[in-house]
């Protein structure tokens, strides 16, 4: 059984596009972790009522955005919403191996296959397989799996990767600026382009 450490963080910290943009701007402006946390926690610029929840969200969003170099941070802030959301999905995937597996094994198959949607059964099969093959996932409760499946569906819709129709998520083939895709390929992250865009 695979012992690679996997977390279920997406069930607690979803896409948060606008909050991520705020923190990305501070990072790009050269503010350090202490200054950013001061704005998020003490000044509550991210507008989260509970202090503990504020801390949890700040931690996860900051870690996600650290996956982006200066070039991608600039693109995230300056390009149109589809490109920006793609870059944020890429950052989420880089910070979350299980979500990367989902994109590679389920989302990509839907993009390249004839069905073009992800059903509730597809989510169930993915998580059942991971419970059988990963030590960490095998210990998760049915409730955790249910919440994480819901979070993945929401992530796909919020990021523009999918469109919800009743209980199915229809995949959306994104057209991303070549400067972004070329840069991601050049830094050795081609597998994320394969997973999210379905490229060969």
């Amino acid at each position: 059984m695979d012992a690679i450490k996997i977390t279920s963080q997406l069930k607690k910290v979803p896409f948060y596009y606008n909050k991520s943009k705020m923190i990305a701007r501070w990072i790009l402006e050269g503010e350090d972790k202490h200054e950013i946390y001061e704005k998020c926690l003490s000044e509550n610029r991210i507008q989260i009522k509970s202090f503990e929840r504020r801390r949890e969200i700040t931690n996860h969003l900051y870690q996600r955005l650290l996956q982006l170099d200066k070039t991608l941070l600039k693109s995230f802030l300056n390009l149109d919403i589809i490109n920006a959301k793609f870059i944020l999905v890429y950052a989420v995937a880089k910070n979350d191996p299980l979500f990367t597996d989902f994109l590679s094994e389920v989302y990509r198959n839907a993009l390249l296959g004839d069905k073009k949607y992800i059903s509730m059964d597809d989510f169930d099969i993915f998580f059942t397989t991971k419970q059988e093959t990963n030590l960490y996932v095998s210990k998760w409760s049915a409730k955790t799996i249910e919440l994480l499946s819901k979070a993945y569906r929401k992530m796909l819709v919020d990021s523009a990767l999918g469109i919800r129709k009743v209980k199915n998520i229809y995949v959306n083939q994104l057209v991303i600026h070549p400067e972004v895709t070329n840069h991601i390929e050049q830094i050795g992250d081609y597998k994320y382009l394969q997973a999210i865009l379905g490229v060969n």
Side-chain angles (χ1 to χ4, degrees), residues 102-118 122 161 169-174 190-200:
F102 173 80
L103 291 172
S104 299
E105 298 167 18
V106 181
Y107 183 81
R108 186 172 193 270
N109 285 345
L111 266 182
L112 299 179
D114 295 328
K115 196 170 74 167
K116 302 302 180 190
Y117 69 86
I118 304 170
D122 294 326
L161 289 185
I169 304 293
Y170 282 76
V171 294
N172 192 19
Q173 180 70 66
L174 301 181
Y190 191 71
K191 71 175 185 179
Y192 296 100
L193 301 180
Q194 292 178 307
I196 305 169
L197 302 179
V199 296
N200 293 321

Side-chain angles (χ1 to χ4, degrees), residues 10 13-18 81-82 84-86 88-89 150-164 169 174:
L10 289 190
V13 184
F15 200 50
Y16 281 135
Y17 175 74
N18 291 325
I81 192 167
I82 293 298
K85 285 187 171 185
F86 165 78
L88 186 54
V89 169
K150 185 177 179 181
Y152 277 32
R153 294 195 299 275
K154 181 171 171 48
M155 177 71 71
L156 293 178
V157 173
D158 289 350
S159 66
L161 289 185
I163 299 165
R164 191 190 308 271
I169 304 293
L174 301 181

Side-chain angles (χ1 to χ4, degrees), residues 6-7 32 48 58 61 63 98 112-113 116 134 139 162 169 184:
I6 283 177
T7 69
D32 62 24
I48 302 291
T58 301
L61 297 189
Q63 287 304 316
L98 186 61
L112 299 179
K116 302 302 180 190
N134 184 276
K139 296 175 181 176
I169 304 293
I184 289 174

Side-chain angles (χ1 to χ4, degrees), residues 29-47:
E29 288 171 353
E31 298 198 24
D32 62 24
K33 182 177 180 179
H34 174 77
E35 292 170 316
I36 291 169
Y37 274 53
E38 177 74 16
K39 286 183 173 179
C40 292
L41 301 183
S42 300
E43 299 175 21
N44 194 18
R45 300 272 193 97
I46 58 171
Q47 298 181 325

Side-chain angles (χ1 to χ4, degrees), residues 77-184:
L77 289 172
N78 298 323
L79 290 180
D80 63 87
I81 192 167
I82 293 298
N83 279 278
K85 285 187 171 185
F86 165 78
I87 291 167
L88 186 54
V89 169
Y90 159 79
V92 170
K94 281 205 74 170
N95 199 48
D96 191 317
L98 186 61
F99 186 59
T100 299
D101 284 354
F102 173 80
L103 291 172
S104 299
E105 298 167 18
V106 181
Y107 183 81
R108 186 172 193 270
N109 285 345
L111 266 182
L112 299 179
D114 295 328
K115 196 170 74 167
K116 302 302 180 190
Y117 69 86
I118 304 170
S119 68
M120 296 292 287
D121 285 345
D122 294 326
F123 284 98
D124 290 344
I125 290 167
F126 172 76
F127 286 111
T128 298
T129 302
K130 292 302 172 183
Q131 283 193 300
E132 292 170 350
T133 57
N134 184 276
L135 185 63
Y136 290 91
V137 183
S138 69
K139 296 175 181 176
W140 291 350
S141 67
K143 185 65 176 176
T144 293
I145 296 292
E146 179 190 343
L147 290 172
L148 196 54
S149 178
K150 185 177 179 181
Y152 277 32
R153 294 195 299 275
K154 181 171 171 48
M155 177 71 71
L156 293 178
V157 173
D158 289 350
S159 66
L161 289 185
I163 299 165
R164 191 190 308 271
K165 293 182 182 178
V166 193
K167 290 187 176 181
N168 296 323
I169 304 293
Y170 282 76
V171 294
N172 192 19
Q173 180 70 66
L174 301 181
V175 178
I176 300 304
H177 198 295
E179 283 184 12
V180 174
T181 55
N182 290 342
H183 182 76
I184 289 174

